[in-house]
Amino acid sequence: MSLLAAWVYNILSTLFMFIFILLIAKLFLGWNIIKPSKKDYIIISCAVLSIIFPALMGAFFYTAGLFKKPLYIFEIITDYLTTLNMTLFMQSIFKKGWLKSWGATIFLCMLSNFSEYIIFIFIPGFQFHIAILHEFLLYILYSFLLTPLIEIILILILSKTEAGRITRHWINNYNNSTKKNILLSLYPATKYIANTINSENLIINKYSASTIITILIVNIILAYMEITEIQKQKLEAQQINIQQQNIYIKNLEEMQLEIHRFRHDYKNMMSGMYLSAKEGDIKAVQNFIQDMTSDFEHQAGSQIHKFTQLGNIHIMELKGLLLNKMELMQSKHIKYELEVLRPLLDTTFHRTDLCRCFGILIDNAIDEVCGKQNAYVNIMISHQEGFTTFRVKNTLYSEIDFHKIWLEGYSTKGEGRGTGLANYKKILERYNNVFPHTSVQDGYFIQELKIQE
């Protein structure tokens, strides 16, 4: 095969693989394609153009016979370049973070490799000689029909099993775990290294066997790590539940005392209203009803409202964070209000990063109003029109320099502070679907975090 023919074939096969992997990501992972922004179109265009170089390099390596050299160095280089390009596509089209897109890309490549070589189990020692026309046509049939068909069958099987559920969980909840990052990032090299140490006396095709074994080992390790992580999350969820129940019990006891006091006052007030009603003083009766309603709202209604709003949050980690912050503000005698306008079931923002970012905004608000008169903090969570919005609004007592608030070390509270918003900004830089907004309105400092779902 000539260099030009190999180049064209590599471009077409890479594009086909990209399209097919995107389809599998949507079907298996449940990822939805989000309309790209102008920035995304530039990234996608660069990724498309960057296919040309690895395709040309792969064609050159093949025609020059470099793929036959020991240690598979040139195959490894080509694989990593292709994986990087695919990750750019995933990140731009599905609006996922870089690490999550990287993890999904490598897993789907593993699945593709598994499908690609599983057929060789049934034809030991067979190799395609693509310089021969009929074998080249067989290779085309194998690459563009049989392999995708096997991959679809594997996806259907995985979708119905516990292994598939665990796999989807670790990809969709992919975090900054160093062990997972290293294991996944080493896979393209590991599968070739396994080939060099694999025995020549295997009953089935050596390349196929080592690739399949490597994939199985990597996935078993990942499954074990994910099961451990799920158990850890369940334990944390139980601890949050216990904490939540303790806070609920404490507040219920406080509400019981308030209602008991209200009941005592209510009897005295009813006596006064009875006389007013008997004398026909309608204005006094109206004032009594208004005062009674206001007193009840102040003593018990506000607590009931807060916990009703908290019940709309179904993300356990976020609920635990808000419980802690509500308890902290209550202990510091800070007037606060929580609004959750609709039930919040989940978000595309990683839960750990969400808690870190939202916690930073709430902590900044508490620091600003703590010990001040007429202090007020409003926390609002809203989900509508494809966006989830997290907003923290607090009374402002300091002058804010909008050009410096994102700089590390800047704070209106003095030295040794000012790392919160700098860390907040660093976390957000990992996401393309997150839009922060900061403003000052009517004496209030407002920090808003909007997530495109």
Side-chain angles (χ1 to χ4, degrees), residues 35 154 185 260 285 307 339 345 372 398:
K35 185 180 179 181
L154 288 174
S185 299
H260 179 73
V285 173
F307 282 96
E339 298 177 83
L345 302 177
K372 304 292 198 308
S398 309

Side-chain angles (χ1 to χ4, degrees), residues 229-241:
E229 183 68 24
I230 290 173
Q231 290 174 342
K232 180 182 176 183
Q233 290 175 359
K234 285 182 178 178
L235 181 60
E236 290 175 351
Q238 289 174 354
Q239 292 172 343
I240 292 172
N241 271 327

Side-chain angles (χ1 to χ4, degrees), residues 244-264 295-310 326 330 336:
Q244 179 179 326
Q245 289 170 4
N246 289 336
I247 294 174
Y248 276 153
I249 291 169
K250 179 182 176 182
N251 279 272
L252 285 171
E253 289 173 347
E254 291 177 358
M255 280 192 286
Q256 184 182 20
L257 290 173
E258 293 293 343
I259 291 171
H260 179 73
R261 295 191 193 103
F262 178 78
R263 180 173 173 270
H264 181 268
D295 287 344
F296 180 80
E297 178 63 27
H298 174 73
Q299 293 180 27
S302 60
Q303 289 289 344
I304 295 172
H305 174 74
K306 287 171 186 174
F307 282 96
T308 300
Q309 298 296 302
L310 197 63
M326 288 166 65
Q330 197 167 341
Y336 68 93

Side-chain angles (χ1 to χ4, degrees), residues 22 32-34 36 44 88-95:
L22 292 175
N32 293 317
I33 295 174
I34 297 174
I44 292 170
L88 283 174
F89 268 88
M90 298 279 278
Q91 187 182 20
S92 302
I93 291 175
F94 294 116
K95 301 289 187 184

